Every structure is written in C-alpha cells, then in structure tokens.
Amino acid sequence: MARSDLLINLVKAGVNGDTGTFRRTVDAIVAEERGKQHNVLADQIERVVKTTNGNALITAPRPASEGSQRAKDFISEIMPRRKLIDLTLPETTQLATRQLIEEQQRASLLRSHSLEPRHRVLLVGPPGNGKTTLAEAIAESLAVPLWVVRYEGMIGSFLGETASRLKRVFEYARTTPCVLFFDEFDAVGKERGDKHETGEIKRVVTSLLMQIDELPSYVVVIAATNHSELLDRAVWRRFQLRLPLPAPTQKQLTQFVQSLAEKAELNLGVSAAQITKSLGRVSYAEAEEFLLNIMRRVILTQGERPSGEIVREQLKLWTARARSAKEGTGEEKSAGTSTS
C-alpha cells in the first residue's frame, strides 16, 4: 500500500485540479510499488490512468511505451559496484555525501515532517578524480540503478530535437528510484548569455532547468563537470549540493595506491610513497591504471620476476610516456625558452 502522504497528495491534487502535483504523485506511487517489487499493482495503476477517458487529469508515464523505449536509447545503465567506503574523498565531500544517502534512506521520516530529502548534486573537479565513481557509489549505497545519459544519441541537429529527447529521459527517470548521471554537464548546461551559443542551446538549457525542478526526490540527479565556469548561472541554483573533487595531494595518492595494493593482495616491493613520488601529479584514475598495469605483469610473469623489479620497469615506462606527452604539447620547449 502506498504511503498515506502520497494518497493524501493524490486526493488534494484531484480535488484542486493540480495536474502537476497529480502527475508527480502518481509517478511516486508507481515508483514506490516497483521498488517493493509490486509490479502487478504498478502496472495496474499505469493502465488505469492510461485508459481513463478524456476527463483524466494526466496521462501517466508508461515504461513499456514507445516513448520510454526511445528514452532508453539515450541512457546507459551501469550496475553499481564501487562502494563509498572504498573512495578517497575530501572530508567535506564525504560528509555531505553520507548526509545525502541518509536523507534518501530515511525519506519517510523527513516526509512525515513535510520535508523532502535532497536529491540534486553537482560534482566539480578535473577529469579522473572520482566524479563518475562517486555517482556509482551513491547508487550502490541506495541500492538503485545508475543511469548515465548518453549525449551522442541525444543531441540532434533539428530545432527542438535535443530538448524533446531530454524531456523523454527525465520522464523515463521518474518511473523508478534511480541515480540519473550527467557527465560533462557543461555540454547541455551552458551559459545562456554566451553570445557564441545558438538559440537552440538556450532552449535546451531552459528545458533542462524545468525538468530538474520537476524531478521527484526519489530520483537523485547528479551532474559532473570539469568546466564549472561554462555553466549557466541558473544551473548552479538548481543543485542543493555542490561538491568539489579536486586533484589529489601526494599524501592522498599514496593512501590510494596503498589501499588498492592491499585489496589486490599485491606486494609492490616498493613503498607506495616512492611510487607516487615517481608518478608525479596524476589523477586517481591514472594511478589506478598504473596499478592495473603492474597487476597484469605480475600475473603474466607467474612469479618469475620480483614485483619490485616490475614496478621499477613500469615506472620507467611511465616516465617515458610522460616525457613524450610534454614534448607533444610543447611544454618542454616553452620551458626551455623561458630559461634561456
């Protein structure tokens, strides 16, 4: 049985002719019943609203409909595996994330006091430092699917096409509790005052803001960006939590490498501090990839070579790769010119 507050909201919306509230409440009831595995009841509710005559207040979202099927073309579903406890996060970011999860898990208590849990999060930081991983960890903690929006299928060349597809994605997300993740959010949330942008992107941003406002609180929408300066000012106000994920310090990177090695039961033969010092300023993703390379070599050599030797070999390769990247970007040349 749906919660009493949802039933009361449904009756009030029907009496007052409030179609917006009616729609959101029906969505919430359907999502809650599906979350309890009451799929038959959820299907019945949707069928009743769908088949009601023209005097009905709304047409409820239909997950099995053609529109919802098309919405799936713009979403990739990821099975959450990363756990929050495994992540290395700034203290304030970790605290805010745990509060968000608690609010979502105890949403009924908040609603009994006429409050809703926070559910709109903006992650800001350079690439490779955990934005996608944090979204996955939040989904894992809440035991809900992680839906990643795919821009390559959504952004169209015709007038109004992108905004229409975006609307479909949000309508589909309302059908069940989930984490809806927008990576590279500046692709769709650009500053509308930018004179170089077309009227189409301005319509997309306006539609995006309206859809975010109308999302029920059981849908946690997480947006990530490497370029926060490009976001529309109104976008910032939509997010209740704005969490930084900066590049790691050497101490944080050392802890991260040590933690990964311990979980993999990998004897590095070299201290984690020495490794991170040799790697230089890298992201968590790059450090993880380095450790994975070592694991591959350890497995393939089947214990015939000491792990310390493998680590030193991989560090040599890493240094050569880093030097090649600098030469490719002209960093060394410009550095040399400045000192001559």
Side-chain angles (χ1 to χ4, degrees):
M1 173 65 72
R3 297 191 316 267
S4 59
D5 60 323
L6 289 178
L7 294 176
I8 291 170
N9 286 343
L10 191 66
V11 173
K12 285 181 178 179
V15 171
N16 297 325
D18 185 348
T19 57
T21 301
F22 185 84
R23 172 173 181 159
R24 288 191 293 271
T25 306
V26 170
D27 289 348
I29 291 174
V30 170
E32 184 171 277
E33 296 307 321
R34 289 197 185 282
K36 296 175 183 176
Q37 303 302 313
H38 298 166
N39 293 319
V40 173
L41 176 58
D43 290 341
Q44 287 177 336
I45 294 172
E46 289 177 339
R47 195 157 48 244
V48 166
V49 178
K50 176 183 176 181
T51 57
T52 302
N53 61 32
N55 294 324
L57 283 173
I58 67 161
T59 299
R62 301 178 290 278
S65 70
E66 182 183 355
S68 292
Q69 291 299 325
R70 287 199 301 266
K72 288 183 180 180
D73 295 338
F74 313 132
I75 294 174
S76 294
E77 182 170 351
I78 295 177
M79 181 64 68
R81 301 186 186 280
R82 300 293 187 109
K83 297 180 182 296
L84 188 61
I85 195 174
D86 296 332
L87 306 189
T88 303
L89 299 170
E91 184 179 350
T92 54
T93 298
Q94 186 174 76
L95 176 60
T97 301
R98 292 192 180 281
Q99 289 180 351
L100 171 78
I101 291 169
E102 182 184 17
E103 290 175 21
Q104 285 289 324
Q105 291 174 334
R106 305 182 69 188
S108 296
L109 177 59
L110 290 176
R111 291 187 181 112
S112 69
H113 290 78
S114 301
L115 292 171
E116 290 291 329
R118 288 175 292 180
H119 64 111
R120 300 191 295 270
V121 185
L122 180 64
L123 305 179
V124 180
N129 290 300
K131 295 188 291 295
T132 304
T133 305
L134 180 54
E136 183 179 344
I138 290 173
E140 193 279 335
S141 297
L142 297 176
V144 298
L146 172 63
W147 290 345
V148 180
V149 178
R150 297 169 47 206
Y151 299 130
E152 70 274 13
M154 179 185 296
I155 298 177
S157 57
F158 296 106
L159 186 66
E161 193 174 41
T162 303
S164 175
R165 292 172 177 175
L166 190 64
K167 182 178 179 181
R168 260 184 253 150
V169 167
F170 278 98
E171 287 178 345
Y172 182 70
R174 290 190 191 97
T175 63
T176 186
C178 65
V179 170
L180 184 63
F181 182 60
F182 289 82
D183 199 5
E184 306 292 344
F185 190 62
D186 43 276
V188 290
K190 289 183 179 179
E191 170 62 56
R192 285 171 290 182
D194 189 343
K195 62 182 180 181
H196 299 293
E197 290 299 341
T198 64
E200 173 68 359
I201 194 64
K202 294 176 182 179
R203 280 186 288 271
V204 169
V205 174
T206 301
S207 175
L208 176 68
L209 297 179
M210 291 175 60
Q211 296 298 328
I212 289 176
D213 284 342
E214 292 177 3
L215 270 182
S217 60
Y218 57 79
V219 176
V220 178
V221 59
I222 301 178
T225 180
N226 307 326
H227 302 287
S228 57
E229 71 281 359
L230 298 180
L231 295 181
D232 189 271
R233 283 166 292 181
V235 168
W236 284 90
R237 292 190 290 103
R238 260 48 183 206
F239 292 94
Q240 299 144 320
L241 291 171
R242 297 183 283 274
L243 307 181
L245 287 170
T249 63
Q250 187 174 339
K251 181 179 179 181
Q252 290 171 328
L253 208 58
T254 299
Q255 294 172 343
F256 179 72
V257 169
Q258 185 64 44
S259 175
L260 287 181
E262 289 174 357
K263 287 172 191 169
E265 298 181 351
L266 177 64
N267 179 16
L268 295 173
V270 178
S271 73
Q274 285 178 279
I275 291 174
T276 54
K277 184 176 180 181
S278 300
L279 289 178
R281 294 183 63 82
V282 298
S283 66
Y284 287 117
E286 290 172 313
E288 183 175 17
E289 183 57 37
F290 179 80
L291 262 291
L292 290 174
N293 287 340
I294 294 173
M295 291 172 63
R296 294 184 185 104
R297 301 315 308 164
V298 168
I299 292 170
L300 291 174
T301 56
Q302 298 183 333
E304 294 179 1
R305 295 178 63 194
S307 56
E309 182 180 316
I310 293 174
V311 170
R312 284 187 285 272
E313 178 185 75
Q314 292 302 310
L315 282 173
K316 186 182 297 184
L317 292 172
W318 180 274
T319 302
R321 188 184 81 162
R323 186 183 302 116
S324 176
K326 285 184 178 180
E327 290 172 353
T329 57
E331 287 184 25
E332 287 195 348
K333 184 177 179 181
S334 61
T337 303
S338 64
T339 55
S340 60

